Amino acid sequence: MKKFKLLLCFLTTLIILSVPLGVLGASDNQKGSGIWVVKFKDTVSTSALSAEVKTVESKNNGELEPLTTTNSDYYTTKNPQIAEDMANSDAVEYVEESGYSYASLIPNDTFFAPTVTNAAPSTYQYAYDVLETSGIWDKTKGSKDVNIVVIDSGFTYDHEDGANIKPGKDYVTNGINDYDCSVHGTACAGIIGATFNNSMGIAGAAPDCNITMLRCFKIVGNDVRGENDAIAAAIRDAVDIYHAKVISMSFGTQQNNKFLEEAVKYAYSKGVIMVAATGNTGDKIGLERNAVEYPASYNQVIGVGSVDREKNISSFSTQNKSTYVSAPGSSILSLSNPDKNNGNLYKSMNGTSLATPYVSSLAALALSIDPTMTSAEFRGILRSSSEDRGTKGYDYGYGYGVINYNNFFKVMSEKFLDVPDGEWYALSVYSLKDQGIIDGKSKYLFDPNGKVTRGEFVKILAKASQEDTASYKGTTSFIDVPVNEWYTEYVNWGVKNEIVKGFGNNLFKPEDPIQREEMAAMISRYVKSKNITLTKVTEKVVFKDDKNISDWARDDIYLLNESGVITGDTEGTFRPQDSTIRAETAAMIDRFLKNN
């Protein structure tokens, strides 16, 4: 199978445009890659696809090669006539010429030198002060079960500080100056995996993870670049062969190839967290300035901009809609190839390339603690925990802010993503959560507007009582309450304490949303069962819809209203038969517990 080439280099922005020719091609000023990607329709059978490939190969005395070994829908060819013939085939969805991507790095001549005059040696890796990593490595330095794939220019595998980085597939054909080329990949992978606590060099952010380098860049003239078909192949292989949970991509292209976007969507569908550099065009002049680059601009990818040690946007950092968050990328000390002149193994460099692996590392550390975390959940926590800078809220420079490791894990362990600080119910939700009385709908979502079922509400009351309900397991009080359901012991507890009542035919209806008057009745019965005396905080005010309240619930509702436990709406009504939402329930139970 043909190996594929990708780009790497010290930030150069690529401009490759798709033009409708029958075959989608690269613009003349990019000269194209001379490689075309053929995407067959999903409806084409394997036998029909094979026959089509053989026919066109025979006719044009050329070859069509599978893009990857794990997917038969994508092929590549270097023969322009084959590309034209394929574009006119009914079996083909599209034919697109592969462009180039460029690594988002600007190297400088600073090696071990600090970034400010007379700075202490501890400031060399200033990024960890910005990121507030203190204490995080006591929790985790990563897990071998978390696979990080770095798609880049290779790695200096004999580096004294690089034992954690493993070589993966090499997509570059006839590469030259490979050792010089690998400086970019060595720096980016080194930020993630440099050996930790070994009395030399630097410390990687997630060194205990399983880190693999897929090489896709080579030097071509004055550029270090690679072809976008290689990136697409590497992304798919990262998923199918290397079982990546995180893919770190410190490069960008202005060509929005369909096959590249489809590879990204495929990885996202498999639950992979993808992180990419937004680019270094912030200080360019003219049309190149702040140009949109891919894959950072895809919705499934987390685009990363760069800041300096003062958390100001780096002058070179691209500012556009692709920026999701930002991280340190100015004067970042990382691993390097030994310099030809002085042999240094470490170098200070600039670029959104260097900011990207800090976010990739954070994703890997998060997955090491919670392997079930989804890409969407990671993005949500990242958004909630990043330090807002610049314009209040989201902006093109910082995105949602500068990432902060300490804040991230605090939000991850203590907060719900859908319960913003300052909401009228937030303090009640977190108070009950800390007491073990109320749970979220998932680890990271509370669902404040969700309806509460009768089974859920009885469980909340039982938890609030702090009684041990284990003795109520193994039996049932209603025919629609199975013996081994999660709510059974709590319903049985409620029956024993005369708190809950059923309906006709011995039914409890545990999955039905609880009505507001049912909720009030259960709390009132709980008060009576436990001989609780509620403090009266207000005089009785009859609700405007009093006539709608069932006779059996009226006294209960007004008892709790005078105690400040339940309230009506702004119009003075109670809406007795309405369902109760989770936010209202949390606030009400919190008020109830504070009253007695």
Side-chain angles (χ1 to χ4, degrees):
M1 174 181 174
K2 177 176 75 67
K3 293 183 179 178
F4 305 99
K5 304 162 250 170
L6 163 69
L7 110 92
L8 141 77
C9 185
F10 312 8
L11 171 74
T12 306
T13 303
L14 135 88
I15 303 177
I16 300 181
L17 305 174
S18 294
V19 290
L21 294 175
V23 176
L24 299 178
S27 60
D28 290 341
N29 63 340
Q30 273 318 134
K31 297 182 180 179
S33 63
I35 296 175
W36 288 266
V37 176
V38 179
K39 169 62 164 62
F40 283 89
K41 294 177 180 177
D42 295 337
T43 54
V44 178
S45 66
T46 302
S47 58
L49 187 153
S50 179
E52 187 81 7
V53 169
K54 289 180 180 179
T55 297
V56 76
E57 284 181 333
S58 176
K59 175 183 174 183
N60 295 289
N61 191 27
E63 291 186 346
L64 276 165
E65 296 285 344
L67 180 66
T68 70
T69 58
T70 57
N71 187 293
S72 60
D73 292 337
Y74 297 85
Y75 280 72
T76 63
T77 182
K78 293 183 178 180
N79 187 315
Q81 189 56 53
I82 289 181
E84 274 306 327
D85 287 356
M86 287 285 89
N88 295 320
S89 170
D90 291 338
V92 172
E93 184 174 327
Y94 64 80
V95 177
E96 191 171 22
E97 188 173 7
S98 177
Y100 300 114
S101 293
Y102 291 82
S104 303
L105 168 69
I106 304 174
N108 58 40
D109 295 328
T110 307
F111 296 93
F112 285 98
T115 57
V116 296
T117 303
N118 298 322
S122 62
T123 65
Y124 292 5
Q125 280 189 280
Y126 77 86
Y128 289 142
D129 292 331
V130 172
L131 300 171
E132 294 190 19
T133 57
S134 59
I136 300 304
W137 290 316
D138 292 335
K139 299 177 181 178
T140 181
K141 292 190 286 293
S143 166
K144 292 302 180 186
D145 293 330
V146 176
N147 299 321
I148 308 176
V149 168
V150 182
I151 299 177
D152 218 292
S153 65
F155 189 78
T156 307
Y157 294 103
D158 59 353
H159 197 290
E160 65 180 15
D161 220 5
N164 295 328
I165 317 300
K166 300 188 302 184
K169 189 173 181 178
D170 191 331
Y171 298 79
V172 178
T173 314
N174 300 321
I176 58 174
N177 299 322
D178 292 343
Y179 193 69
D180 291 339
C181 183
S182 66
V183 64
H184 184 273
T186 299
C188 292
I191 289 171
I192 299 172
T195 307
F196 195 93
N197 200 30
N198 63 341
S199 300
M200 67 172 67
I202 65 170
D208 288 356
C209 291
N210 189 31
I211 309 163
T212 302
M213 169 67 68
L214 301 187
R215 179 175 177 243
C216 292
F217 295 95
K218 74 173 185 180
I219 295 177
V220 179
N222 294 323
D223 290 335
V224 187
R225 73 184 189 192
E227 293 158 359
N228 289 342
D229 57 314
I231 300 176
I235 290 173
R236 289 180 177 274
D237 286 345
V239 177
D240 296 332
I241 298 175
Y242 298 96
H243 310 295
K245 294 186 177 180
V246 179
I247 300 178
S248 190
M249 301 177 286
S250 294
F251 53 80
T253 172
Q254 288 180 32
Q255 182 167 345
N256 183 11
N257 290 120
K258 289 183 179 180
F259 61 80
L260 180 60
E261 183 177 14
E262 287 166 0
V264 165
K265 288 181 177 179
Y266 173 71
Y268 186 80
S269 74
K270 299 297 183 180
V272 179
I273 297 173
M274 289 170 285
V275 187
T278 57
N280 301 336
T281 62
D283 54 4
K284 300 294 181 182
I285 298 174
L287 295 177
E288 286 189 352
R289 187 176 185 186
N290 296 323
V292 173
E293 294 188 8
Y294 305 92
S297 291
Y298 293 133
N299 292 333
Q300 298 80 11
V301 178
I302 298 169
V304 185
S306 172
V307 297
D308 60 21
R309 64 192 306 157
E310 303 299 328
K311 302 181 187 178
N312 296 318
I313 300 168
S314 303
S315 61
F316 54 79
S317 187
T318 298
Q319 299 185 43
N320 59 40
K321 64 180 181 180
S322 67
T323 308
Y324 191 81
V325 289
S326 49
S330 293
S331 301
I332 300 299
L333 185 68
S334 189
L335 310 187
S336 178
N337 298 334
D339 187 88
K340 292 178 180 178
N341 297 319
N342 56 31
N344 281 337
L345 291 169
Y346 304 89
K347 200 169 190 176
S348 179
M349 292 167 275
N350 296 321
T352 53
S353 275
L354 288 310
T356 298
Y358 287 119
V359 180
S360 303
S361 297
L362 179 55
L365 294 176
L367 288 170
S368 298
I369 292 177
D370 181 8
T372 68
M373 179 180 291
T374 67
S375 180
E377 289 171 339
F378 175 74
R379 291 173 73 101
I381 299 173
L382 195 63
R383 174 176 176 172
S384 298
S385 62
S386 293
E387 179 186 348
D388 189 17
R389 301 273 295 178
T391 304
K392 184 175 177 58
Y394 179 84
D395 59 73
Y396 284 173
Y398 289 100
Y400 287 107
V402 180
I403 66 167
N404 183 299
Y405 280 35
N406 185 59
N407 286 351
F408 182 94
F409 285 103
K410 183 176 182 180
V411 171
M412 179 178 168
S413 61
E414 298 177 5
K415 300 288 186 178
F416 290 117
L417 298 179
D418 53 358
V419 180
D421 290 340
E423 285 288 346
W424 60 270
Y425 54 85
L427 292 178
S428 295
V429 168
Y430 291 123
S431 175
L432 298 186
K433 176 179 182 288
D434 292 343
Q435 297 176 69
I437 294 172
I438 201 164
D439 300 319
K441 280 296 186 179
S442 69
K443 289 182 181 179
Y444 309 112
L445 296 175
F446 179 69
D447 188 21
N449 294 314
K451 295 180 180 180
V452 179
T453 67
R454 288 168 54 81
E456 287 175 325
F457 190 75
V458 177
K459 178 182 177 181
I460 291 170
L461 274 182
K463 291 288 187 180
S465 74
Q466 299 184 349
E467 294 182 37
D468 184 359
T469 59
S471 61
Y472 296 100
K473 294 179 179 179
T475 61
T476 184
S477 304
F478 300 97
I479 61 174
D480 59 347
V481 178
V483 172
N484 295 319
E485 277 291 347
W486 59 268
Y487 49 74
T488 303
E489 63 183 281
Y490 307 113
V491 173
N492 291 337
W493 166 86
V495 171
K496 178 67 174 179
N497 288 278
E498 299 182 342
I499 295 168
V500 303
K501 295 181 179 179
F503 300 89
N505 300 318
N506 198 30
L507 298 175
F508 180 69
K509 302 182 181 180
E511 303 290 354
D512 283 6
I514 191 168
Q515 295 179 350
R516 290 168 59 81
E517 64 180 8
E518 291 176 332
M519 172 192 67
M522 286 190 190
I523 296 176
S524 179
R525 295 184 201 123
Y526 175 81
V527 167
K528 296 172 184 176
S529 172
K530 303 302 178 184
N531 294 316
I532 296 172
T533 300
L534 293 176
T535 301
K536 185 176 179 179
V537 298
T538 186
E539 295 298 324
K540 178 180 177 179
V541 177
V542 177
F543 292 113
K544 292 181 179 179
D545 57 350
D546 177 81
K547 66 179 187 306
N548 296 330
I549 299 174
S550 300
D551 291 340
W552 53 265
R554 184 172 284 105
D555 290 344
D556 299 324
I557 290 171
Y558 284 113
L559 168 68
L560 298 180
N561 178 242
E562 291 175 355
S563 305
V565 175
I566 62 175
T567 60
D569 57 28
T570 57
E571 297 178 356
T573 59
F574 182 68
R575 297 174 285 112
Q577 281 81 46
D578 281 6
S579 300
T580 300
I581 63 172
R582 292 171 57 80
E584 292 172 336
T585 300
M588 180 200 58
I589 294 295
D590 188 39
R591 291 193 296 265
F592 170 64
L593 293 177
K594 289 175 179 177
N595 184 282
N596 65 89

